[in-house]
Amino acid sequence: MYIFLMILIIVSMFLYHLIALHFDSKRTKYILKPGTMVLIIVLAIYGSSLETTFAKWVVVALCFSLVGDVFLMLEERWFIHGLISFFIAHVFYIIAFWNSFILHIMSKTSLLVALSLILFSIWFFLFLLRYVKEAGGVQLAIAVASYILVISIMMWSASLAGSSILIVASLLFVISDAILAYDKFRNPFSAAEHMVMITYFTAQLLFAISVGYM
């Protein structure tokens, strides 16, 4: 069953890129984008049976991500709702890491990762700031800044967990959101959604797989 779910997820991801994006089928997008996330959530539940605290928090995070996906598919006025949903998802990922691992926050690795993320986050926010303000004013700028902060904390926490799969998953999530923000606010480009979704789905799939090993 586990392998069957994995195959279904991979097929769903492929069809999403082929039909929903390449052939620009909105109906397929509305089905496969949340549909793929539903399969990923089912995989996480099946693979873990929700026997650990880590699995429970990750599944909750995946569910809020699903809600965020639905909001982001709707009209532009729902963008902030999607942003809030993903913000909450990252909070739950952070809770999962802090409740399931011993994180050595004062280690050299911790400080180096933290410094790198702080510098990148500040640079990237300033890189987007003028365009974000033009799109939604100070309110949207604050929301974007808050989101950058929480996803940075999520990646920092994942890096301290000592699990390669979590590090890769969190890094892919950051890359996905960085591409999405660049495309939305700074410079739209045709391959953006393909790049965003392949990194996003892969990140969420890795989080779902991780619950079976933690």
Side-chain angles (χ1 to χ4, degrees), residues 73-129:
M73 290 192 302
L74 302 177
E75 298 174 4
E76 182 65 24
R77 64 192 177 94
W78 294 103
F79 176 78
I80 192 69
H81 298 77
L83 199 65
I84 292 170
S85 299
F86 278 108
F87 182 97
I88 296 171
H90 289 306
V91 169
F92 284 121
Y93 276 130
I94 292 166
I95 293 172
F97 301 146
W98 282 82
N99 276 278
S100 306
F101 301 94
I102 298 174
L103 307 183
H104 301 287
I105 61 174
M106 297 307 296
S107 67
K108 289 183 179 179
T109 299
S110 170
L111 297 176
L112 179 61
V113 173
L115 178 60
S116 300
L117 287 170
I118 289 169
L119 293 176
F120 174 77
S121 297
I122 292 172
W123 170 81
F124 193 65
F125 178 67
L126 294 176
F127 177 73
L128 296 175
L129 182 57

Side-chain angles (χ1 to χ4, degrees), residues 64-194:
F64 272 96
S65 297
L66 171 60
V67 174
D69 283 331
V70 173
F71 278 129
L72 292 183
M73 290 192 302
L74 302 177
E75 298 174 4
E76 182 65 24
R77 64 192 177 94
W78 294 103
F79 176 78
I80 192 69
H81 298 77
L83 199 65
I84 292 170
S85 299
F86 278 108
F87 182 97
I88 296 171
H90 289 306
V91 169
F92 284 121
Y93 276 130
I94 292 166
I95 293 172
F97 301 146
W98 282 82
N99 276 278
S100 306
F101 301 94
I102 298 174
L103 307 183
H104 301 287
I105 61 174
M106 297 307 296
S107 67
K108 289 183 179 179
T109 299
S110 170
L111 297 176
L112 179 61
V113 173
L115 178 60
S116 300
L117 287 170
I118 289 169
L119 293 176
F120 174 77
S121 297
I122 292 172
W123 170 81
F124 193 65
F125 178 67
L126 294 176
F127 177 73
L128 296 175
L129 182 57
R130 179 165 68 89
Y131 303 91
V132 173
K133 281 186 175 181
E134 290 174 356
V138 175
Q139 183 180 7
L140 183 59
I142 293 173
V144 170
S146 300
Y147 185 81
I148 291 174
L149 175 62
V150 77
I151 195 173
S152 298
I153 294 174
M154 185 277 289
M155 183 173 175
W156 173 66
S157 301
S159 72
L160 300 182
S163 169
S164 297
I165 192 171
L166 295 179
I167 294 171
V168 173
S170 63
L171 177 60
L172 287 174
F173 216 134
V174 170
I175 292 171
S176 176
D177 282 344
I179 296 170
L180 186 152
Y182 179 81
D183 175 70
K184 181 175 180 60
F185 297 116
R186 187 76 190 239
N187 184 29
F189 61 102
S190 58
E193 194 165 6
H194 284 284

